[in-house]
Amino acid sequence: MVLDVRGLCVEYGGEGGSVRAVDDVSFTLRRGEVLGIAGESGSGKSTLAYAITRLHRPPAVISHGEIRYTAPDGSGVDVLSMADSELRTFRWEELSIVFQSAMHALNPIMRIGEQIDDVLAAHRPHMNRQERAARIVELLGIVGIPGDRASAYPHELSGGMRQRAMIAVGLALDPEIIVMDEPTTALDVVIQRQIMELKDTLGFSVVFITHDLSLLIELSDTIAVMYGGRIIETAAADDFYRRPRHPYSHGLLASFPTLGGPKRELTGIIGSPPDLRRMPSGCAFHPRCPVAFDDCSSRTPVLYDIQQAGRSGVSRAACLQYVDAGQRATADDTEDRLAMGEKQ
């Protein structure tokens, strides 16, 4: 285990009161694992990414929770208790983030090579100029950028190359964890694959956030689905693809065409994500859920363990169907209920 998040809450303050964008989120990231986080816009994915790296600024505040990092030597530290000086060392050295918008994350008046050099000079003072220059060329080559483009400014690169440059910055100090917030939007599939192969070589862990479910399933070991600021399902990627447990997960998968395996009819999800300022009572998904029943509007489900017949792994879903398998739908017939609900 390299990262352990427990009961994390992030709120945005305002004149009308606070809005909870991340609500009681817990998960564990194992060393060398890719944890994929899925969900519609507004589900809390990027807010969670900023919370993990402690990059929030007012009016955002982490109101509750714990984020514990475990180093390769077994020593642990609470990220939320770190002073600013400790954070400056922790970021990039142990944990880095690749932002969604490279054009905004990169300094527009500095050359790409200079921006990587800044990171190396600050955190690797023993490296001389020639060693740093060689490392810059190496990093750019890793992400598919010719070394001579180190002298280019961000605006002189394509969108895909800017995103690759951001990934090069994130890899500069060989961190143990990389948080990727929609990092592959502008990247071709060859570079996507190279990045994941590099993860296997260097052994770092990845928190991978994207709207692209097909990519998420292909590259992730474990998938966590967020809705209304909460994690509402966790499962191994293969189990998630073959048998999603939460009705929302089922709807997400039904919104994407399959490129192999079981065929699914594209249906999507009716309605819109909830307004975080006026969350529905009970299960946040119940106004859109095709299989909701009376209790869903008054009871808030937690993540229930679901043992799948014939498999050793356990999925978890925050759905009242799994409170009592004898009274509600069992794990094996949930898909049938969902299919019936969609036709109504």
Side-chain angles (χ1 to χ4, degrees):
M1 186 266 294
V2 65
L3 192 70
D4 189 33
V5 177
R6 290 287 163 240
L8 189 66
C9 297
V10 180
E11 299 183 8
Y12 290 90
E15 294 182 359
S18 63
V19 175
R20 184 166 288 185
V22 170
D23 188 4
D24 195 23
V25 165
S26 299
F27 66 86
T28 297
L29 178 67
R30 295 183 292 271
R31 200 169 301 278
E33 179 186 28
V34 178
L35 171 65
I37 299 181
E40 295 168 286
S41 295
S43 62
K45 304 187 304 298
S46 292
T47 299
L48 177 61
Y50 274 71
I52 294 170
T53 52
R54 282 193 58 185
L55 287 171
H56 281 302
R57 293 291 181 267
V61 60
I62 297 175
S63 58
H64 188 268
E66 183 180 16
I67 303 174
R68 293 202 61 83
Y69 166 75
T70 303
D73 64 4
S75 61
V77 62
D78 182 3
V79 177
L80 297 183
S81 67
M82 286 182 175
D84 289 345
S85 59
E86 294 175 302
L87 274 175
R88 281 192 291 270
T89 301
F90 179 72
R91 294 193 192 115
W92 305 117
E93 287 273 2
E94 307 294 340
L95 181 150
S96 66
I97 183 168
V98 178
F99 297 97
Q100 181 175 0
S101 176
M103 195 61 194
H104 293 108
L106 293 169
N107 190 324
I109 61 172
M110 290 181 66
R111 301 177 192 274
I112 295 299
E114 292 174 338
Q115 300 191 48
I116 302 176
D117 187 71
D118 267 3
V119 176
L120 295 173
H123 293 267
R124 297 287 188 270
H126 62 276
M127 295 179 72
N128 60 38
R129 185 182 297 274
Q130 291 74 27
E131 290 171 331
R132 296 199 305 269
R135 176 61 171 162
I136 290 167
V137 172
E138 178 188 10
L139 287 164
L140 292 178
I142 285 172
V143 297
I145 299 178
D148 59 5
R149 301 297 282 166
S151 60
Y153 290 97
H155 72 269
E156 296 177 315
L157 302 178
S158 68
M161 291 185 78
R162 286 195 295 268
Q163 195 71 70
R164 296 181 199 181
M166 272 301 304
I167 294 174
V169 174
L171 292 172
L173 302 179
D174 296 324
E176 291 295 318
I177 304 170
I178 298 182
V179 178
M180 294 186 169
D181 185 12
E182 298 281 358
T184 54
T185 302
L187 298 183
D188 58 62
V189 292
V190 175
I191 298 301
Q192 294 170 7
R193 176 55 59 190
Q194 288 177 350
I195 291 168
M196 290 303 143
E197 289 176 351
L198 182 67
K199 184 271 298 181
D200 294 334
T201 301
L202 298 180
F204 56 79
S205 305
V206 180
V207 178
F208 190 69
I209 298 170
T210 181
H211 288 85
D212 189 339
L213 265 184
S214 58
L215 179 64
L216 202 69
I217 292 167
E218 179 185 1
L219 300 182
S220 300
D221 299 301
T222 305
I223 290 178
V225 181
M226 292 191 70
Y227 187 81
R230 287 176 169 265
I231 290 180
I232 52 92
E233 179 167 357
T234 61
D238 183 65
D239 289 342
F240 176 81
Y241 174 68
R242 297 184 181 281
R243 192 180 291 273
R245 299 307 191 180
H246 197 283
Y248 177 65
S249 302
H250 189 278
L252 283 180
L253 283 169
S255 303
F256 283 81
T258 57
L259 299 179
K263 299 295 183 182
R264 288 189 174 95
E265 180 182 354
L266 295 183
T267 56
I269 306 173
I270 61 171
S272 302
D275 184 340
L276 295 179
R277 297 167 299 180
R278 293 180 289 274
M279 290 290 289
S281 60
C283 174
F285 185 61
H286 87 264
R288 307 172 68 188
C289 182
V291 294
F293 47 89
D294 290 345
D295 286 355
C296 298
S297 61
S298 58
R299 295 176 60 187
T300 302
V302 298
L303 283 167
Y304 302 105
D305 291 347
I306 306 164
Q307 183 70 51
Q308 182 174 338
R311 291 181 180 268
S312 58
V314 176
S315 299
R316 305 181 75 204
C319 181
L320 294 178
Q321 295 179 92
Y322 305 114
V323 173
D324 186 341
Q327 298 178 8
R328 303 299 183 193
T330 65
D332 290 331
D333 66 18
T334 298
E335 192 166 326
D336 293 337
R337 292 190 72 224
L338 287 165
M340 291 175 62
E342 289 168 356
K343 293 175 181 178
Q344 291 177 356

